[in-house]
Amino acid sequence: MTGNAAVQEALAHPKIVAEHPLKASARAFGPNVLDADGPSHRAFRALMAPILSAGRIAEYKESLMPGLVHALVDSIAGIETDDFYNSFAHKVPYGIVCTILGIDASLENRFHTLTRPLARLLDYPTQETDETHANAAELLRLIEEQRASRTAGAQSLLETIERTRDRKGISLTDSEVRSTALLFFLAGTETSSAFITSLVYCMGRGIFSLDELRDDAVRDDYIEEVLRLYPPVQTIVRFASEDLTIQGVEVPRHSAVLASIAGANRDPRVFDHPDRFQTGRSLKGSIPFAVGGHACPGAMLAKTEFSLLVEEIAQRCSEVVITRDGLGMESQSFSHPTDFSVEFRTR
């Protein structure tokens, strides 16, 4: 499904579900927030709510994000790189989520090394290997080790979701809590790393001067339009639990439903000149974080992170320039431009 109306209807339809016994992610992680529906899914999301509240994000914006953003811009200012995605894009999101998760900072590189191959389990088409299953097991072991050491602190994700589970009487086992924490880590870091790469790529294409991006309103419009054109999750896989009809098309029971976020965001019936980068347009219908019960719960956290990063680059750099462009794109679930070089010229 590629039309905007069809994609939105499919993603919000109660009979088009995420759960399927043969999904690689379900086999690797067990019951978890991404692969559950109905009451189980709502229970998983309830665990995440305190971590992703507006108040908690405001705290992250003041105390956690600035240091990470500043360190990243320090490392790229004045250099040219042909591998921004692998070398730099993960640093801010991994720092944020490791801190939220309560992971010792010394383990961040270990988590990055183990996590990158795991993205293949959530991608479309799925790439399932012995390595992905081994990495999932090792990450769950590390998370359990961190929880058992009690060094994470009372405000960490692990401690907060366990406390929330017990207080609300949510019927989830310790292993299900760990799996949800790991998937929060995986989804939150890999989608953000992919989109930060898209942000930098668009900055380097010279669509706006960096001085313009110092303005809060211009910066917000810029980020929203990059999200429309380069959503980090381009295709979402769901399953029809019974015979149904979407926008006049019959969908038989047990069919796989591929909902194209990328297609919905470039539907010419909704967006004039849909392939053109154009700020100021109405973004009603743009769904970079999906819709329905499985819409991304971390959207506000991600947008805050992106805005701070663009602002810091605009303040520290005179230009961001794409010096070589192979016009490549990679992945469906963690989509980002590839095969390009970018230079960050300082003021």
Side-chain angles (χ1 to χ4, degrees):
M1 298 182 175
T2 58
N4 191 281
V7 168
Q8 293 211 45
E9 184 177 346
L11 293 178
H13 200 292
K15 300 301 182 182
I16 294 183
V17 299
E19 187 173 359
H20 192 286
L22 298 182
K23 285 179 73 173
S25 52
R27 290 201 299 273
F29 301 114
N32 65 79
V33 65
L34 295 185
D35 297 315
D37 295 290
S40 294
H41 179 70
R42 290 191 290 274
F44 279 119
R45 287 180 76 101
L47 296 180
M48 314 299 298
I51 292 292
L52 299 171
S53 68
R56 192 69 71 88
I57 291 170
E59 292 177 16
Y60 303 149
K61 183 178 179 181
E62 292 298 319
S63 62
L64 171 58
M65 295 182 184
L68 294 168
V69 167
H70 187 79
L72 172 60
V73 178
D74 262 350
S75 67
I76 60 177
I79 73 162
E80 181 178 4
T81 176
D82 63 359
D83 194 17
F84 177 82
Y85 173 71
N86 286 309
S87 299
F88 299 103
H90 66 281
K91 292 184 179 295
V92 172
Y94 268 79
I96 291 171
V97 177
C98 274
T99 302
I100 293 173
L101 197 55
I103 299 300
D104 190 301
S106 65
L107 294 174
E108 285 185 21
N109 288 336
R110 176 66 172 153
F111 265 74
H112 179 231
T113 300
L114 289 168
T115 299
R116 274 282 154 90
L118 275 184
R120 302 172 194 155
L121 287 172
L122 305 184
D123 209 350
Y124 172 78
T126 297
Q127 297 179 47
E128 190 174 358
T129 66
D130 290 341
E131 179 188 30
T132 56
H133 284 275
N135 285 16
E138 175 64 8
L139 282 165
L140 287 168
R141 186 192 69 77
L142 286 173
I143 288 174
E144 173 58 25
E145 187 177 86
Q146 291 287 293
R147 188 209 62 81
S149 70
R150 296 292 177 181
T151 59
Q155 296 299 307
S156 77
L157 173 66
L158 290 174
E159 296 300 321
T160 300
I161 62 180
E162 287 187 346
R163 194 164 54 245
T164 302
R165 176 194 62 180
D166 296 340
R167 186 177 70 248
K168 294 187 175 182
I170 297 172
S171 298
L172 295 175
T173 66
D174 285 352
S175 63
E176 290 168 344
V177 168
R178 306 291 176 273
S179 293
T180 285
L182 176 54
L183 284 166
F184 170 83
F185 184 96
L186 177 60
T189 54
E190 289 304 303
T191 52
S192 290
S193 298
F195 186 68
I196 286 169
T197 303
S198 297
L199 277 175
V200 165
Y201 177 78
C202 289
M203 293 172 80
R205 294 288 298 273
I207 297 167
F208 282 98
S209 73
L210 295 190
D211 286 340
E212 289 179 280
L213 292 176
R214 292 183 177 191
D215 181 272
D216 291 348
V218 173
R219 187 167 62 252
D220 288 345
D221 284 349
Y222 169 80
I223 291 170
E224 291 292 347
E225 182 68 347
V226 180
L227 281 166
R228 184 186 70 82
L229 283 167
Y230 294 96
V233 177
Q234 297 212 342
T235 302
I236 295 175
V237 183
R238 294 284 187 265
F239 304 91
S241 62
E242 60 182 55
D243 294 342
L244 50 91
T245 302
I246 299 290
Q247 295 292 301
V249 177
E250 293 184 2
V251 181
R253 182 186 180 200
H254 298 321
S255 295
V257 177
L258 307 184
S260 174
I261 298 293
N265 281 359
R266 297 192 186 213
D267 188 336
R269 293 164 292 189
V270 178
F271 304 102
D272 292 334
H273 307 292
D275 296 325
R276 179 184 299 171
F277 194 105
Q278 179 180 312
T279 58
R281 67 164 80 240
S282 170
L283 288 168
K284 183 179 181 181
S286 179
I287 52 169
F289 296 103
V291 294
H294 280 269
C296 175
M300 187 187 300
L301 175 66
K303 287 183 180 182
T304 303
E305 169 189 350
F306 302 151
S307 182
L308 286 177
L309 179 58
V310 173
E311 182 181 21
E312 181 83 1
I313 292 174
Q315 290 175 346
R316 300 276 299 281
C317 296
S318 59
E319 288 183 291
V320 176
V321 179
I322 299 296
T323 55
R324 179 187 61 81
D325 193 352
L327 300 175
M329 289 292 292
E330 181 175 299
S331 183
Q332 290 291 325
S333 294
F334 308 100
S335 179
H336 59 90
T338 60
D339 193 24
F340 70 93
S341 299
V342 60
E343 183 178 358
F344 298 88
R345 297 173 182 170
T346 54
R347 295 185 179 275

